[in-house]
Amino acid sequence: LALFCSGYFLVAIGAAILATAPATATCMAIQWLVVVGYTVGIVPLLVRIYAINHIMQQGKKMRRVQISQQHLLGLVTIAVFIITAFLSIWTALDPSKRTEEPILTSPEGTVEIRVSCSSDSPGWMAVA
């Protein structure tokens, strides 16, 4: 429960930062907080489902099952490590930056500036 709550707390912090005007420093921080937060929030639930499924499958064969908490936490740690490695590579190669895009909003020639965060390659966001 602590991992679940702390993961979604990170997502909430990322959402609060996302509500502010984008800056170059906050663009990548938002990605880190949201992706790591969802990983820490969802992966323990998936690991628990895996453990329950394993117990049920072995129970059908009338076998005794012992699953240690260290093994389950190890699976969560591996997932968080993989996500951290992915985010580190993303940050090093193609960090998300503040971009400004002019948008023509009326026939009279009114131009608004849309400010957002984006990387040069959209593939990073698709994988995350």
Side-chain angles (χ1 to χ4, degrees), residues 12 14 55 67 90 98 119:
I55 290 168
I67 299 175
W90 182 6
R98 174 187 163 119
S119 294

Side-chain angles (χ1 to χ4, degrees), residues 4-18 30-42:
F4 179 80
C5 291
S6 62
Y8 285 105
F9 182 70
L10 291 175
V11 173
I13 292 171
I17 295 172
L18 183 62
I30 292 167
Q31 300 302 329
W32 274 82
L33 288 168
V34 170
V35 173
V36 170
Y38 276 123
T39 301
V40 172
I42 292 175

